[in-house]
Amino acid sequence: MCADRVLDDFEGAWHVARTIANEGGLDAAFTGTACWTRRAGGMSYVEDGELRVGSLTPMRAQRSYFWDEALNVWFDDGRFFHAVPAGGGKTEHWCDPDSYHVVYKFENWPQFETVWQVRGPKKAYRMNTVYTPCGGNRLA
């Protein structure tokens, strides 16, 4: 069992390596950075990098969320996304008609992993993401 994570543990820049195994289409991979930055009530999470889908031309990809002190994750528009289990483990998000199940793995901290399993009428994929602290990160 690993120690419970708190929001401050994530602050800073992280390398991101993601694979997306798509059951009904092209597999994909993302490489880039994620940065948690302090702001009122929690931290902004901004991810930026390159997405490669099959053999198509790579494209820039970016997304952002807000994490509060209780490790709740919110979409940019203020809608609740999911709660991160402080000790690692399972959580989920329902976005009718799709279900998103995720496992947070903190056993190798400060490196950590998320594994998403997504299912819906038009979706079926598994997304694995590994986060590794960047060299200047206080955790590196």
Side-chain angles (χ1 to χ4, degrees):
M1 183 160 172
C2 60
D4 282 358
R5 307 278 38 111
V6 296
L7 185 60
D8 286 344
D9 293 339
F10 298 94
E11 187 172 10
W14 300 73
H15 295 288
V16 177
R18 176 175 299 131
T19 58
I20 304 166
N22 189 343
E23 292 178 20
L26 299 173
D27 289 343
F30 172 88
T31 54
T33 58
C35 191
W36 277 266
T37 306
R38 209 20 99 183
R39 78 172 220 220
M43 288 193 200
S44 293
Y45 169 97
V46 177
E47 184 177 284
D48 187 60
E50 181 180 81
L51 178 65
R52 293 180 173 272
V53 180
S55 61
L56 300 175
T57 302
M59 64 188 97
R60 182 171 181 215
Q62 186 179 63
R63 65 179 172 182
S64 57
Y65 300 103
F66 177 74
W67 286 43
D68 69 19
E69 293 292 340
L71 300 182
N72 293 310
V73 182
W74 305 83
F75 291 108
D76 274 348
D77 64 7
R79 290 177 300 130
F80 178 72
F81 184 20
H82 68 282
V84 175
K90 299 177 183 179
T91 191
E92 59 189 32
H93 171 74
W94 172 255
C95 185
D96 197 17
D98 305 318
S99 64
Y100 296 75
H101 297 271
V102 61
V103 177
Y104 280 82
K105 299 180 178 184
F106 296 135
E107 295 85 5
N108 296 317
W109 191 265
Q111 183 181 72
F112 72 99
E113 180 179 3
T114 62
V115 180
W116 288 87
Q117 186 68 51
V118 180
R119 294 261 179 236
K122 297 180 181 179
K123 296 179 181 178
Y125 64 89
R126 179 183 174 101
M127 183 168 64
N128 290 62
T129 305
V130 175
Y131 296 84
T132 304
C134 290
N137 193 320
R138 64 184 173 85
L139 300 171

